[in-house]
């Protein structure tokens, strides 16, 4: 964790625990759907989309965005990667809000939305090349 992330964890420990749990769910989801994933590829974009969607559901958009933005504020990360991740986080938050509003919320529906957005090139991917599943695994 960066110093800024540590400060937020201390400020909001209960939310931080939720963030950690949802990170694990997002990683499991990404590993199921993109077993050969790497950095900046479709699996990376998918994971950010899912994690941000899960956090939006659990914490609300504002608090989720606070944790997500702090996480992406790593001075050692290249700007292009940060921009990709912030963009995909925003897309995940928007999708989660729509699914909740429509009464269609579930992890599978969020995964399906992420895959659909990857197929239609609506998520940012720096190193494309992975096969995109038709349906969530």
């Amino acid at each position: 964790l960066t110093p800024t992330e540590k400060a937020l964890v201390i400020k909001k420990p209960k939310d931080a625990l939720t963030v950690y749990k949802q990170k694990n769910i997002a990683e499991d989801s990404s590993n199921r759907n993109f077993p050969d994933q790497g950095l900046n590829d479709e699996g990376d974009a998918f994971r950010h989309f899912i994690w941000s969607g899960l956090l939006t559901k659990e914490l609300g958009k504002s608090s989720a965005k606070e944790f997500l933005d702090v996480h992406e504020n790593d001075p050692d990360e290249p700007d292009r990667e940060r921009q990709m991740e912030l963009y995909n986080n925003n897309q995940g938050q928007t999708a989660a809000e729509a699914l909740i509003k429509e009464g269609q919320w579930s992890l599978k529906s969020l995964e399906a939305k992420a895959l659909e957005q990857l197929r239609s090139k609506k998520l940012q991917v720096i190193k494309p090349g992975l096969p995109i599943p038709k349906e969530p695994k």
Side-chain angles (χ1 to χ4, degrees):
L1 297 177
T2 66
T4 313
E5 285 177 299
K6 289 177 186 174
L8 187 56
V9 167
I10 291 167
K11 181 180 168 187
K12 296 184 174 185
K14 186 177 176 188
D15 286 352
L17 180 59
T18 299
V19 170
Y20 178 75
K21 288 178 179 177
Q22 299 309 309
K23 175 190 75 77
N24 290 336
I25 293 169
E27 287 174 349
D28 289 345
S29 173
S30 186
N31 289 335
R32 271 194 327 276
N33 287 281
F34 295 94
D36 297 323
Q37 66 189 305
L39 187 64
N40 301 321
D41 62 13
E42 291 86 351
D44 197 4
F46 179 89
R47 185 177 59 258
H48 279 83
F49 183 101
I50 297 298
W51 188 36
S52 61
L54 291 168
L55 291 182
T56 299
K57 169 73 166 84
E58 295 300 319
L59 301 176
K61 187 170 187 173
S62 178
S63 189
K65 185 170 173 24
E66 182 180 18
F67 276 93
L68 292 162
D69 287 353
V70 164
H71 177 71
E72 303 306 347
N73 194 21
D74 181 349
D76 295 330
E77 183 175 41
D79 189 56
R80 185 171 181 209
E81 290 178 18
R82 181 176 15 267
Q83 293 307 315
M84 179 189 98
E85 293 164 358
L86 289 169
Y87 178 85
N88 293 333
N89 287 351
N90 184 37
Q91 294 294 88
Q93 288 201 280
T94 300
E97 285 185 312
L99 290 168
I100 292 164
K101 184 177 180 181
E102 297 162 3
Q104 300 295 315
W105 172 262
S106 71
L107 175 57
K108 285 292 182 199
S109 64
L110 186 65
E111 290 171 338
K113 190 67 169 172
L115 295 174
E116 173 189 315
Q117 289 202 13
L118 277 168
R119 281 192 301 275
S120 62
K121 310 269 188 243
K122 292 181 181 172
L123 294 184
Q124 290 185 6
V125 178
I126 295 172
K127 295 179 181 174
L130 292 180
I132 301 168
K134 293 190 186 303
E135 295 179 4
K137 295 180 180 179

